[in-house]
Amino acid sequence: MLSFGVKLLALAALGGNAAYAQTFQRLGTCPTLGCVFPPDQADFMPGQVFDVRVEIHAPLNGSEAFNNGAPDEKFSLTIQRVGDRAGPKLARDFWKCPEPGLEKWTFNYFEDLFAQDAKTPTVVNVASKAYRQVALYTPGEYIATVHYYNTQKTVAHWTVRKPTTPRRKAKNVLFFIGDGMTISMQTAARLIAHKSVNGKYQSLLQLDQMDNLGHQMTHSIDSFITDSANSATALNTGHKSSVNALNVYADSSPDPQDDPKVETLAEMFRRVKNGLIGIVTTAFVADATPAAIVAHTRDRDQAGPIIDTFLRGEQNYSWPGVRGVDVLFGGGAENFLPGAASFEGKDYYAEFAKAGYSVVHDNAGLQKIDKRKKALGIFSVSNMAKWVDRKVKTQNLKGQQNSPTGDKTDALDQPGLKEMTLKAIDILHARSKADKNQGWYLMSEAASIGEYKMMHVLDYHRALGELLELDDAVRASIAHLKKLGIYDDTLIVVTADHGHGFDVFGGVDTQYLHTAASDRQKRGAVGNYINSGLSGYTVAPGTAPTNNTVVIGAQGANFPVQWDPRYSLAAGVVAFPDHRENYTTAPNGPRLPAVKGQNGEGYVPNPADAQDGFGLTGTLPTNAAQGVHSLTDVAVYANGPGSEAFRGVYNNVDIFFKMADALGLATYKNTTSSGHWH
Amino acid sequence: MLSFGVKLLALAALGGNAAYAQTFQRLGTCPTLGCVFPPDQADFMPGQVFDVRVEIHAPLNGSEAFNNGAPDEKFSLTIQRVGDRAGPKLARDFWKCPEPGLEKWTFNYFEDLFAQDAKTPTVVNVASKAYRQVALYTPGEYIATVHYYNTQKTVAHWTVRKPTTPRRKAKNVLFFIGDGMTISMQTAARLIAHKSVNGKYQSLLQLDQMDNLGHQMTHSIDSFITDSANSATALNTGHKSSVNALNVYADSSPDPQDDPKVETLAEMFRRVKNGLIGIVTTAFVADATPAAIVAHTRDRDQAGPIIDTFLRGEQNYSWPGVRGVDVLFGGGAENFLPGAASFEGKDYYAEFAKAGYSVVHDNAGLQKIDKRKKALGIFSVSNMAKWVDRKVKTQNLKGQQNSPTGDKTDALDQPGLKEMTLKAIDILHARSKADKNQGWYLMSEAASIGEYKMMHVLDYHRALGELLELDDAVRASIAHLKKLGIYDDTLIVVTADHGHGFDVFGGVDTQYLHTAASDRQKRGAVGNYINSGLSGYTVAPGTAPTNNTVVIGAQGANFPVQWDPRYSLAAGVVAFPDHRENYTTAPNGPRLPAVKGQNGEGYVPNPADAQDGFGLTGTLPTNAAQGVHSLTDVAVYANGPGSEAFRGVYNNVDIFFKMADALGLATYKNTTSSGHWH
């Protein structure tokens, strides 16, 4: 252990006044030296299973140094239901479970950027216990109190929410996530895909026409900008968490698999109603958003174990996980093919096939799939191709060597989000009908709007293509549910997991930009206000944007007529590395805006990107290769039974409760024993 | 007239295929050579008064050159109600009005940026007629057809909307506009003013708690980025228009006062119900948003005539304007003090006083005002002081020499938006009660969020201060209406007129940024995702953002506890000139990010601004001194009678119809004669 000069603080200073904790925190949600997870402000569905962890911290050095770095090992945790006359009980008595064993570890962190530059970490010793698989059944308020260092207390107020109605409203839930999709992007997507005549749109996004509209706040539990794992945790469990964490509260222990877990919507639905579970994504299927349906880990990058969880459920601590999702469609062959990136090196195509799954690798196979069987469809290595490349610039599919079979050919017959979603609905519907008509939960993700990675790489055109594909998938799904006669039974929710600070601020004469001599002259190609003009994307090539004729392009209604108009969008994000902009659809596939400089100066503009554009210095640290997520609230759209609950402004965790309410997932007693859930 | 080589196009090409028309257009809404205003797709309230203009164009040169530049003078306009067996009638017969006289003029425009650089304008000769003050009373579809050049036709489909219910729902309408306010800004304002503990806000914006939520599309009729005049026209008349136009369709004539007008909500309310009208703004009162309540001009900069319109109503063409608004509060003393900036050089304080108005110049005077009289309150020269300077950095009020009395002292006792709005409500309520209880329409604008000018000048902190003041004014107004017993009679609508592409992408250690040596090192002060941390604005100075204590600052609840935390917001806009960023609240008053370079190179970073920050090259043309508006849809919030209509996604013009519906403004016959309105 490193040795530092130790400063002993008076107990009065224990209140967590670490003056520097912000860029780096000792541990999120734990401003004092005693921590409990779930922390203060946590909400639960009645009967939702969760773990509890207590940590006592003793920083050895730094502004909070305490007790010579010796954490209190004699701490205790009490639980009380507010209004319960019996008063607080020790956790083991409250839950009638054995007292967990004491755990100890040490971690380091930097108090601020100066400490990081000086390479002077703060060392924290920890004593901890974890109570596994507990639940609270009676709606109301609870107080969890950690007692430590003799006189210190950390109090967490927990709420078990009372469902709005006792009955189940929806048989099925179809949950669309547009990764990184903001209202500004939707506005831009409408502009390029739908013709406006004298200020009146002649057609609209499907999202514009949904029955109910809301906004959700996406921030983390311990930082105001979320990542996709973190926000997916909120949407799937009703619990806020930390960046990179999937359905756990992030503790400070070194093991990413031992963090305190929270039961997900899919897990509750399977446990309580034997519901069927489907997962569709255009990303690799082990990515954060699909993983969050069933996985529990501090580290979203555990792709191999996540794939195993889809098949076998969560294995550690006898967690009541979903054993075998019914549908799993997306990319990420590298985590299935036997090798370094698959769990224990095994062939997971074979593992799924052994468990009775249909396994398909292209759209032709998808269309012929047996609707009665569980289905695995892996259609490419890594993330799937973008809509623009699959439908418009199809030459970019070639030379990728990304066949999901691992034979280094190109994955040329990849299905789109619409094809995957409609087929997933077919399978879930058929399996539900053939079983007990128990209903299904399908999460369908347009992964490449923000994440994986079109807004990240400033490829605004491809991002909008992905958004329009999502919109088209929602439109087609509504029609398909109606055709199957289950539209009135199905709650449809469409939202995003976070934003990217994107907007359109004018039009660009790309011809002028191309021919202008200098960077400063090129900027003169941008037209603002009246000079932004009208959308060049909704008219036929060679016609003026002012032409009022409604034309349908080769990709059908609801998509642009052309992707390379002379007058394009001047658009941007607020967070970017050094790069160049020419406001055209990158011809050779997704953009790579920045590359590592030759002289250790961090990222610099990619000389191969937007060569005829002008240069921009970045707003991000120079070690950032691409854009980042943003703060903005994102929109929520909902149709069907229970959808009125999605109006207004609320926290992302509330979406879990609204969906769980619609499915009637609350349980008011231990389904297996009288207290401890398991 | 300039002489150009004239190219005669075949008639077949008349369909408006001007290949270049985009950055510049011959005339918005007129892709062909025959134009009619209102154009195709126009919607009307039954009985809404409007002018009709027809223009026939003959370009003398350029890609559309036609008929040697001689416009058809024998054109005609026919009108038909769809389903009316009588068929189309000549306009003069349809409206039983005299045939208007023929007008002729010439205008120039550039076909594109290359033509502008080459200084080769296109010359267009015009023949025109205007039918003044007409109306359509019967809901349904109408077809207006311009016949010209013998065989050519331009067809406009007009719709007179049928109100959703025949009865009046609301006695009063309180309409708040947050200029340039986006959902991203609201998210950021919530973050700095409301304490979050473990991801759960302990209090919320008033906007978060409104009963109904919608989105509106803000685009212009002829360009996808609007200005505030244009969008205010849509909100006040239900008609889209062009940049800089106020309650008129922009024609091509040189006179900015002769463009075809459309009756506003305030004008209809006064004409039909004798409703009372109030206007509150933090801008100068002749600015676009307040002017749009009653003014009609192609050129929003006609400040003098606009002030006269507030007092005497629209004077030209015997328009049925509002003669004397009941309340007018804001800045802009320069347009009242006798001199070059006032109408006909007159003293408009005296003019208003002569007409029976109370005239006040500070908050003390405002508080003592006689509620029974009409009221003029002008509290500063130009735009009023920003909330941050009025409440936090009060030293910045000094040395402004902006007293509304014109005596070159400082306007130190300026009321805020809340004070002005509550007093306006008091006056309107008292006057309505004392008269026929006819109700009132009050527009209250937080003008300095986007426009005038805090987002424009990249002063994110001051912009968020203005937004929070708006939110506070809405909160206080609801309480005040309840106290007066008229909350249930009052439709409250809060929205924006357009966006600015703003978002927050992380936290900043300003201390690190300040001390870092180079621009690239300074960027390392930005923390993203987990390193964004928590809001430094909601904790007491000297405490860590992780501190969970809820503290109320000197400006009260719902405002930041501090404006200069060590850890501030990394925020930005997508459209900006060259400038520097240091992410702190500019200490000496609103920012001036860019100034004209010494060598004719356009705008460059202001050396006096954000001196310890890092430099950013602009995304805007180098002749842009500040940021610009953006495309994004903006949110709409509504409470009270008729407010359910504001749910969902719609066009900005729909807001007019929803408010007019709530007030029951439709009239089904000519209120003064049988046909021609006047």
Side-chain angles (χ1 to χ4, degrees):
Chain A
M1 190 179 294
L2 297 168
S3 170
F4 293 93
V6 173
K7 187 171 65 172
L8 193 65
L9 288 185
L11 269 172
L14 268 174
N17 203 359
Y20 298 142
Q22 171 68 355
T23 304
F24 310 112
Q25 295 172 41
R26 175 166 38 75
L27 180 56
T29 77
C30 189
T32 54
L33 296 183
C35 326
V36 56
F37 308 100
D40 190 29
Q41 308 282 316
D43 290 351
F44 304 83
M45 275 298 278
Q48 184 177 21
V49 178
F50 62 100
D51 296 338
V52 178
R53 182 178 283 288
V54 177
E55 293 189 16
I56 310 301
H57 290 190
L60 188 62
N61 60 313
S63 65
E64 294 184 302
F66 186 73
N67 206 31
N68 289 314
D72 184 0
E73 298 180 11
K74 297 207 174 87
F75 62 88
S76 65
L77 173 67
T78 61
I79 312 287
Q80 179 183 19
R81 175 154 187 268
V82 174
D84 186 345
R85 275 184 297 174
K89 287 182 188 171
L90 284 173
R92 68 171 177 231
D93 298 329
F94 185 87
W95 278 306
K96 301 187 179 71
C97 63
E99 184 68 23
L102 186 71
E103 302 170 64
K104 294 181 72 173
W105 63 79
T106 298
F107 71 93
N108 296 343
Y109 82 110
F110 293 112
E111 291 202 348
D112 64 7
L113 290 164
F114 295 103
Q116 182 178 250
D117 284 355
K119 300 194 173 75
T120 54
T122 295
V123 177
V124 183
N125 294 316
V126 183
S128 175
K129 286 182 182 180
Y131 301 80
R132 302 283 175 183
Q133 264 180 255
V134 299
L136 301 165
Y137 297 96
T138 310
E141 304 296 315
Y142 294 77
I143 297 173
T145 308
V146 185
H147 306 263
Y148 58 106
Y149 292 139
N150 295 317
T151 59
Q152 297 300 307
K153 278 195 245 183
T154 295
V155 176
H157 296 87
W158 295 343
T159 303
V160 177
R161 293 198 192 178
K162 193 176 159 75
T164 50
T165 68
R167 69 182 176 81
R168 178 174 175 180
K169 293 173 215 159
K171 195 169 82 177
N172 315 307
V173 171
L174 174 51
F175 187 34
F176 285 100
I177 297 182
D179 193 304
M181 176 174 70
T182 65
I183 295 157
S184 304
M185 294 176 205
Q186 293 159 219
T187 316
R190 186 195 301 125
L191 183 72
I192 67 170
H194 294 274
K195 179 70 185 170
S196 182
V197 174
N198 294 337
K200 307 287 175 71
Y201 276 101
Q202 304 301 297
S203 59
L204 289 170
L205 297 175
Q206 176 59 42
L207 296 187
D208 294 333
Q209 303 172 66
M210 298 294 278
D211 294 338
N212 297 284
L213 168 67
H215 291 170
Q216 53 133 323
M217 314 174 195
T218 69
H219 58 272
S220 305
I221 199 166
D222 52 4
S223 68
F224 52 76
I225 306 290
T226 189
D227 80 321
S228 293
N230 189 0
S231 57
T233 296
L235 297 169
N236 279 284
T237 69
H239 291 260
K240 291 267 182 187
S241 187
S242 303
V243 169
N244 295 332
L246 280 170
N247 303 320
V248 297
Y249 284 101
D251 66 23
S252 71
S253 80
D255 180 353
Q257 304 288 9
D258 75 344
D259 300 50
K261 296 188 282 300
V262 190
E263 196 177 25
T264 68
L265 186 86
E267 289 171 332
M268 288 188 81
F269 187 35
R270 178 64 66 91
R271 174 172 64 80
V272 176
K273 307 283 188 191
N274 199 30
L276 306 180
I277 308 299
I279 300 170
V280 168
T281 181
T282 55
F284 63 102
V285 295
D287 191 23
T289 308
I293 305 303
V294 294
H296 301 267
T297 171
R298 173 73 184 90
D299 175 13
R300 59 184 274 177
D301 292 334
Q302 308 268 318
I306 286 167
I307 299 300
D308 189 66
T309 304
F310 288 133
L311 179 60
R312 273 185 266 271
E314 188 67 41
Q315 294 292 300
N316 63 354
Y317 306 103
S318 311
W319 185 255
V322 173
R323 288 176 181 81
V325 299
D326 298 87
V327 176
L328 182 61
F329 292 159
E334 65 278 21
N335 304 132
F336 289 84
L337 295 163
S342 78
F343 188 56
E344 296 176 349
K346 283 190 281 193
D347 177 348
Y348 267 78
Y349 291 142
E351 296 292 314
F352 275 78
K354 260 191 285 180
Y357 281 74
S358 307
V359 180
V360 296
H361 292 306
D362 55 24
N363 191 39
L366 179 69
Q367 295 311 319
K368 287 181 296 201
I369 210 162
D370 182 344
K371 292 179 190 170
R372 294 160 304 180
K373 288 176 67 179
K374 289 188 175 189
L376 174 71
I378 301 298
F379 303 106
S380 71
V381 170
S382 186
N383 303 300
M384 293 175 67
K386 311 311 169 225
W387 185 93
V388 161
D389 298 312
R390 237 175 47 245
K391 293 288 190 178
V392 183
K393 298 183 184 293
T394 52
Q395 73 280 6
N396 295 332
L397 297 177
K398 293 183 186 149
Q400 300 296 321
Q401 304 186 357
N402 62 342
S403 166
T405 61
D407 67 0
K408 303 279 182 191
T409 61
D410 300 328
L412 298 176
D413 184 31
Q414 299 178 47
L417 186 70
K418 178 168 77 177
E419 290 75 33
M420 292 193 288
T421 304
L422 297 186
K423 193 55 72 178
I425 291 171
D426 282 341
I427 293 168
L428 293 166
H429 177 57
R431 289 178 60 78
S432 177
K433 264 179 77 174
D435 195 6
K436 300 191 180 90
N437 210 17
Q438 63 265 57
W440 46 263
Y441 169 54
L442 171 60
M443 192 289 297
S444 175
E445 184 202 20
S448 298
I449 299 171
E451 204 84 38
Y452 311 106
K453 291 278 183 110
M454 296 302 102
M455 275 296 164
H456 273 296
V457 295
L458 319 182
D459 198 329
Y460 319 125
H461 284 90
R462 279 181 178 74
L464 297 179
E466 298 298 296
L467 196 162
L468 289 168
E469 184 184 35
L470 168 64
D471 192 64
D472 198 45
V474 177
R475 186 183 289 107
S477 294
I478 290 172
H480 197 62
L481 292 169
K482 285 180 176 169
K483 200 176 118 195
L484 294 174
I486 53 175
Y487 175 71
D488 292 336
D489 300 330
T490 305
L491 170 63
I492 304 173
V493 181
V494 190
T495 190
D497 49 356
H498 58 79
H500 283 252
F502 167 88
D503 211 339
V504 173
F505 57 95
V508 180
D509 183 345
T510 57
Q511 197 170 309
Y512 190 86
L513 182 138
H514 179 74
T515 54
S518 72
D519 273 23
R520 284 183 81 83
Q521 284 170 342
K522 284 175 188 293
R523 284 160 59 185
V526 171
N528 306 115
Y529 301 110
I530 188 72
N531 300 130
S532 62
L534 296 164
S535 174
Y537 300 81
T538 58
V539 292
T543 41
T546 48
N547 190 305
N548 280 341
T549 312
V550 176
V551 185
I552 293 178
Q555 286 79 43
N558 308 313
F559 288 99
V561 177
Q562 58 176 324
W563 283 90
D564 296 297
R566 171 173 167 185
Y567 292 99
S568 72
L569 299 184
V573 287
V574 297
F576 46 82
D578 294 4
H579 70 290
R580 299 181 75 76
E581 283 291 1
N582 67 356
Y583 302 122
T584 56
T585 309
N588 304 320
R591 291 181 71 180
L592 181 67
V595 293
K596 268 209 168 135
Q598 300 293 307
N599 309 310
E601 73 272 48
Y603 282 84
V604 297
N606 176 5
D609 177 62
Q611 289 178 317
D612 67 344
F614 58 87
L616 288 165
T617 46
T619 55
L620 289 172
T622 55
N623 62 3
Q626 54 179 226
V628 297
H629 299 177
S630 73
L631 181 70
T632 188
D633 289 354
V634 295
V636 187
Y637 305 90
N639 281 13
S643 62
E644 311 76 24
F646 290 84
R647 292 177 188 152
V649 181
Y650 38 85
N651 209 318
N652 55 0
V653 294
D654 295 312
I655 291 176
F656 163 85
F657 289 98
K658 293 171 197 296
M659 294 196 297
D661 250 24
L663 287 170
L665 298 189
T667 52
Y668 298 102
K669 58 179 184 184
N670 183 332
T671 53
T672 52
S673 72
S674 64
H676 191 225
W677 185 84
H678 181 61
Chain B
M1 190 178 298
L2 295 168
S3 169
F4 292 94
V6 174
K7 187 172 63 168
L8 193 64
L9 287 186
L11 269 174
L14 267 175
N17 201 359
Y20 298 140
Q22 171 67 358
T23 304
F24 309 113
Q25 295 172 41
R26 175 166 37 77
L27 181 57
T29 78
C30 189
T32 55
L33 296 183
C35 327
V36 56
F37 306 100
D40 191 28
Q41 309 283 316
D43 290 350
F44 304 83
M45 276 298 279
Q48 184 176 20
V49 177
F50 62 100
D51 296 339
V52 179
R53 182 177 283 288
V54 178
E55 293 189 15
I56 310 300
H57 290 192
L60 189 63
N61 60 314
S63 65
E64 293 184 303
F66 186 73
N67 205 31
N68 288 315
D72 184 0
E73 298 179 10
K74 299 210 173 85
F75 63 87
S76 66
L77 173 68
T78 62
I79 312 286
Q80 180 184 20
R81 176 154 186 268
V82 174
D84 185 345
R85 276 184 298 175
K89 288 182 187 171
L90 283 172
R92 67 170 177 236
D93 299 329
F94 184 87
W95 278 305
K96 301 187 180 69
C97 63
E99 184 67 23
L102 186 71
E103 302 172 62
K104 294 182 71 174
W105 62 78
T106 297
F107 72 93
N108 295 344
Y109 83 109
F110 293 113
E111 290 202 349
D112 64 7
L113 291 164
F114 295 104
Q116 184 181 52
D117 283 356
K119 299 192 173 77
T120 53
T122 295
V123 177
V124 183
N125 294 317
V126 183
S128 175
K129 287 182 180 178
Y131 301 81
R132 301 282 174 184
Q133 265 181 253
V134 298
L136 300 165
Y137 297 95
T138 311
E141 303 297 314
Y142 293 76
I143 297 173
T145 307
V146 185
H147 306 264
Y148 59 105
Y149 292 140
N150 295 318
T151 59
Q152 296 301 306
K153 278 195 246 185
T154 295
V155 176
H157 295 88
W158 294 344
T159 301
V160 177
R161 294 198 192 179
K162 193 177 159 73
T164 50
T165 67
R167 70 181 176 82
R168 178 173 176 181
K169 294 172 217 160
K171 196 170 83 177
N172 315 308
V173 171
L174 174 52
F175 186 33
F176 285 100
I177 296 182
D179 194 304
M181 176 175 70
T182 66
I183 295 156
S184 304
M185 294 176 205
Q186 292 160 220
T187 315
R190 187 194 301 125
L191 183 72
I192 67 170
H194 294 273
K195 179 69 185 170
S196 182
V197 174
N198 294 336
K200 307 286 174 71
Y201 276 100
Q202 305 301 296
S203 59
L204 289 170
L205 297 174
Q206 176 59 42
L207 296 187
D208 294 333
Q209 303 173 67
M210 298 294 279
D211 294 338
N212 297 284
L213 168 67
H215 291 171
Q216 52 134 324
M217 313 173 195
T218 69
H219 57 272
S220 305
I221 199 166
D222 52 4
S223 67
F224 54 76
I225 307 290
T226 189
D227 80 320
S228 294
N230 190 0
S231 57
T233 297
L235 297 169
N236 279 286
T237 69
H239 290 259
K240 291 267 182 186
S241 188
S242 304
V243 169
N244 294 333
L246 280 170
N247 303 322
V248 298
Y249 283 101
D251 66 23
S252 70
S253 80
D255 180 353
Q257 304 288 11
D258 75 345
D259 301 51
K261 295 186 282 300
V262 190
E263 196 177 24
T264 68
L265 185 86
E267 289 171 333
M268 289 189 81
F269 187 34
R270 176 65 64 95
R271 174 171 64 79
V272 176
K273 307 283 188 190
N274 199 29
L276 305 179
I277 308 299
I279 300 170
V280 168
T281 181
T282 55
F284 63 101
V285 296
D287 191 22
T289 307
I293 305 304
V294 294
H296 301 266
T297 171
R298 173 72 184 92
D299 175 13
R300 59 183 274 176
D301 291 335
Q302 308 270 317
I306 287 167
I307 299 299
D308 188 68
T309 304
F310 289 132
L311 179 61
R312 273 184 266 271
E314 188 65 41
Q315 294 294 300
N316 63 354
Y317 306 104
S318 311
W319 185 254
V322 173
R323 287 175 181 83
V325 299
D326 299 87
V327 176
L328 181 62
F329 293 159
E334 65 277 23
N335 304 133
F336 288 83
L337 294 163
S342 78
F343 188 56
E344 295 175 348
K346 284 188 280 195
D347 176 347
Y348 267 79
Y349 291 142
E351 296 293 314
F352 275 78
K354 260 191 284 180
Y357 282 73
S358 307
V359 180
V360 295
H361 292 306
D362 54 23
N363 191 39
L366 179 68
Q367 295 312 317
K368 287 182 295 201
I369 210 162
D370 183 344
K371 291 178 192 171
R372 294 162 303 180
K373 287 177 68 178
K374 289 189 176 191
L376 173 72
I378 302 298
F379 303 105
S380 71
V381 171
S382 187
N383 303 301
M384 294 175 66
K386 311 314 168 223
W387 185 92
V388 162
D389 298 311
R390 237 176 45 246
K391 293 289 189 176
V392 183
K393 298 182 184 294
T394 51
Q395 73 280 7
N396 294 330
L397 296 177
K398 293 184 186 147
Q400 301 296 321
Q401 303 186 357
N402 61 342
S403 166
T405 60
D407 68 0
K408 304 278 183 192
T409 61
D410 300 327
L412 297 176
D413 184 30
Q414 299 179 46
L417 185 69
K418 179 169 78 177
E419 290 75 32
M420 291 194 288
T421 304
L422 297 185
K423 194 54 72 179
I425 290 171
D426 282 341
I427 293 168
L428 293 166
H429 177 57
R431 288 179 61 78
S432 176
K433 263 179 76 174
D435 194 6
K436 301 192 179 90
N437 209 15
Q438 63 265 57
W440 47 263
Y441 169 55
L442 171 59
M443 192 290 296
S444 174
E445 184 200 21
S448 298
I449 299 172
E451 203 86 34
Y452 310 103
K453 292 284 184 115
M454 295 302 102
M455 275 295 164
H456 273 296
V457 295
L458 318 182
D459 199 328
Y460 318 126
H461 285 91
R462 278 182 179 75
L464 297 179
E466 298 299 296
L467 197 162
L468 289 168
E469 184 185 36
L470 168 63
D471 192 63
D472 198 45
V474 176
R475 185 183 292 105
S477 294
I478 290 172
H480 197 61
L481 291 170
K482 285 179 177 170
K483 200 177 117 196
L484 294 175
I486 54 174
Y487 176 71
D488 293 336
D489 299 330
T490 305
L491 170 64
I492 305 173
V493 180
V494 189
T495 189
D497 49 356
H498 57 78
H500 283 252
F502 167 88
D503 212 340
V504 173
F505 59 94
V508 180
D509 183 344
T510 57
Q511 197 169 309
Y512 190 85
L513 182 137
H514 179 73
T515 54
S518 72
D519 273 23
R520 285 182 80 83
Q521 284 171 342
K522 284 175 189 292
R523 285 159 60 186
V526 172
N528 306 116
Y529 301 111
I530 188 72
N531 300 129
S532 63
L534 296 164
S535 174
Y537 300 81
T538 57
V539 291
T543 41
T546 47
N547 191 306
N548 280 341
T549 312
V550 176
V551 185
I552 293 178
Q555 287 79 41
N558 310 312
F559 288 98
V561 177
Q562 57 175 322
W563 282 91
D564 297 297
R566 171 172 167 185
Y567 292 98
S568 71
L569 298 183
V573 287
V574 297
F576 46 83
D578 294 2
H579 70 290
R580 300 181 75 77
E581 283 290 0
N582 68 355
Y583 302 122
T584 55
T585 308
N588 303 322
R591 292 181 70 181
L592 181 68
V595 294
K596 270 211 167 134
Q598 300 294 308
N599 309 308
E601 73 272 49
Y603 281 85
V604 296
N606 176 5
D609 177 60
Q611 289 177 317
D612 67 344
F614 57 88
L616 287 166
T617 46
T619 55
L620 288 172
T622 55
N623 62 3
Q626 55 178 225
V628 297
H629 299 175
S630 73
L631 180 70
T632 189
D633 290 353
V634 295
V636 187
Y637 305 90
N639 281 14
S643 63
E644 312 76 24
F646 290 84
R647 291 178 188 152
V649 181
Y650 38 85
N651 209 319
N652 56 0
V653 295
D654 294 314
I655 292 175
F656 163 84
F657 289 98
K658 293 171 198 296
M659 293 196 298
D661 251 23
L663 287 171
L665 297 189
T667 51
Y668 298 102
K669 58 178 185 187
N670 185 331
T671 53
T672 52
S673 70
S674 64
H676 192 225
W677 186 84
H678 184 62

